[in-house]
Amino acid sequence: MRSALEALERLREGNQRFVSEDAGPQALSSTSRRKELANGQNPFAIILGCSDSRVPAEIIFDQGLGDLFVIRVAGNIVAPSQIGSVEFAVERYDTKLVVVLGHSMCGAIQATLEELERPSGTRSPNLRSIVDRVRPSIEELTLTDLRQQPDKLVHHAVRANIRASAAHLRHGSQTIEHLIQHQGLVVVGAEYSLESGVVDFFDVPAAPQGESTSEFT
Ligand SMILES: [Zn+2]
């Protein structure tokens, strides 16, 4: 089984190929690969990302069929169904890496900031359930000087929301906590830049004994 840090390195390399326009056509999406995967999958990473059409995980990490177990929801929020999806994948496929993937200029974050500034009270309860999950991690930011700098505010809010989702996931269930403590499961945050195409990973834990730390400090 691939370790979390090996999986992370594979994602970094794929993103570098994507950024340098060295990516695809993805050989691993061939007909033979499709037939092979019909008998089972073994994804090396789980991505909990935003639904934004500009942030498709397989493309920005240059991966093929069967490589990534992807959960997408507006604002990359963590609700029970996302926790359940992660539990399913880590238990079923022994996947060791979970990436919470947010992105610059996220519409869900901007909508939440607008709601904080001018509460509308007219959103559907379903949409409100997303805004309400984003709100706690960014509310404090709107009380700082960042309020005067809208672009900076969104940037910081995106990061705060990613960090909050990752933290929530790490403690989302006893199953996940146990796997983190005893089985080498790692949950990291990452931000994708719509402009540059680069994924910036953060809150990556120090490598366990026996693994190189140079890439992750
Ligand atoms: Zn988004």
Side-chain angles (χ1 to χ4, degrees), residues 1-204:
M1 171 43 55
R2 189 184 294 273
S3 78
L5 296 186
E6 286 168 345
L8 190 56
E9 189 55 24
R10 188 167 164 188
L11 291 179
R12 284 184 199 274
E13 288 171 359
N15 181 240
Q16 279 166 9
R17 289 195 300 276
F18 170 71
V19 170
S20 61
E21 299 184 16
D22 239 356
Q26 187 43 263
L28 295 177
S29 299
S30 63
T31 305
S32 62
R33 177 70 173 148
R34 191 177 72 232
K35 287 181 176 162
E36 183 189 325
L37 283 166
N39 297 317
Q41 59 174 315
N42 185 26
F44 73 87
I46 300 164
I47 313 289
L48 169 56
C50 182
S51 301
D52 193 294
S53 64
R54 301 163 291 181
V55 196
E58 288 87 349
I59 293 177
I60 68 170
F61 290 120
D62 188 32
Q63 300 300 322
L65 289 180
D67 289 332
L68 302 178
F69 188 94
V70 181
I71 305 151
R72 290 179 69 175
V73 58
N76 41 274
I77 57 166
V78 174
S81 60
Q82 281 80 47
I83 295 170
S85 298
V86 170
E87 284 179 354
F88 171 79
V90 293
E91 290 197 312
R92 180 74 57 108
Y93 309 119
D94 201 22
T95 310
K96 298 298 189 197
L97 177 68
V98 184
V99 178
V100 175
L101 178 67
H103 64 97
S104 59
M105 294 184 282
C106 179
I109 304 299
Q110 288 169 325
T112 305
L113 288 169
E114 285 165 17
E115 179 69 23
L116 284 165
E117 198 173 326
R118 293 182 301 277
S120 67
T122 56
R123 286 184 203 284
S124 83
N126 306 307
L127 189 52
R128 180 167 293 281
S129 73
I130 293 176
V131 168
D132 285 348
R133 284 192 187 275
V134 173
R135 184 202 307 261
S137 63
I138 70 174
E139 201 156 19
E140 271 188 22
L141 294 174
T142 64
L143 306 175
T144 69
D145 290 344
L146 286 170
R147 202 175 33 181
Q148 318 299 338
Q149 303 161 278
D151 289 349
K152 259 192 168 176
L153 176 60
V154 172
H155 172 74
H156 281 78
V158 163
R159 292 235 160 192
N161 179 58
I162 295 167
R163 286 205 158 93
S165 286
H168 192 167
L169 203 49
R170 288 186 194 109
H171 302 288
S173 72
Q174 287 186 344
T175 301
I176 292 174
E177 282 191 347
H178 178 83
L179 289 166
I180 289 173
Q181 284 169 11
H182 302 290
Q183 301 288 325
L185 179 68
V186 170
V187 180
V188 302
E191 182 185 3
Y192 172 76
S193 164
L194 294 180
E195 302 84 357
S196 70
V198 172
V199 175
D200 179 21
F201 292 92
F202 48 91
D203 296 341
V204 176

